[in-house]
Amino acid sequence: MLIRINSAELTRKKAFLDLLKKERGALRLCFQKSEIIDIREIKKGAACGFLSRIKAFFPKSEIMLSEKEKFPMAAESRFKFPRKFEIIAGPCTIEDRKSYMKTAAFLKSMGMGYIRAPIFKPRQSPYSFQGLGEKGLEILSEVRERYKLKTVSEILSPCQIKETAKYCDMFQVGAANMKNYALLKALSETGKPVLLKRAQGADKKDWLSSAEYVAVKNSSIIFCERGDFGFFPEGGINFNLAAKLKRDFSLCVIADISHSSLGREMVSPAAIAAAAFGLDGIMLEIHENPHMSVVDGKHAVNFKEFEKILKSLEKFSKCLKK
Ligand code: PEP
Ligand code: MN
């Protein structure tokens, strides 16, 4: 952290340095010129409280933070999937027990470890299907028991967390709720991994700021890039941003290759792109009969198409090893 002290505030420098000495456990003063103080090695979480005190000392001065200092907790968040490239597939929404169990049995037979398990759906229109709601919890419980699949379930409000937590292994925060700060704070308390989607049109700063709320007490965050469809008409997954987040912060980043794909033909190439960009995995929507899907049938893939995607991913990873 660099503080460039405004000349009008230089008289406060000595008092400030005395304060720094008291904080020695949390940071290390690296060097100081007459008008520049460089503070290094700020311990996790210390920067936040400190920043407001620095601002109080030097309201006119310039405070320059590195990227990691701006998001001290989110930048430290770590989550590791069991596999190098994880796949979280499942329907857009659980429609009924029978078809969901069929999908679960298929995913298990394909060696999958996770399944999408949405029972609360964030819909633009109040007249659209809103998900099975709490009635769906029994299905989540059954799928875990029977197939030992880890369930990834979206919640829309803090009041849904307690009950859903009993049957869900990973909470999903959808694009529509990336800035639902009450929800993010509540998820920070759960101790379960949180899959945080980037909202359409949100930039890196918006995304990491939202993650910062979760990371206060929960460092298991999976960043999920879902593209900008809904904000820009052509959608498009921002692979550059996803890869940058991995490179600069070593975070766990996956891509939702369905919601911004503008049709199922784009899903397969997007899976390869996610692997090529070095991401940690993908999320995608699958349905036994996409044309009959209650929600998002246009981009869901059927079982055969899913198998093909797995094969092309395998081929791609073999090519890389050659
Ligand atoms: C979803 O994954 O079910 C979903 C609603 O997607 P998004 O939040 O990205 O629109
Ligand atoms: Mn969907």
Side-chain angles (χ1 to χ4, degrees), residues 92 116 121 259 285 295-296 299:
C92 181
R116 276 177 57 92
K121 293 302 295 176
H259 287 94
E285 293 191 345
V295 192
D296 281 354
H299 62 227

Side-chain angles (χ1 to χ4, degrees), residues 97 101 137-147:
R97 187 191 158 277
M101 288 304 155
L137 289 172
E138 245 177 66
I139 303 179
L140 261 65
S141 163
E142 188 180 341
V143 87
R144 279 166 114 206
E145 283 276 306
R146 252 172 103 167
Y147 298 108

Side-chain angles (χ1 to χ4, degrees), residues 106-122:
F106 169 73
L107 290 174
K108 188 70 188 179
S109 73
M110 292 286 106
M112 297 295 107
Y114 285 85
I115 186 166
R116 276 177 57 92
I119 52 173
F120 301 108
K121 293 302 295 176

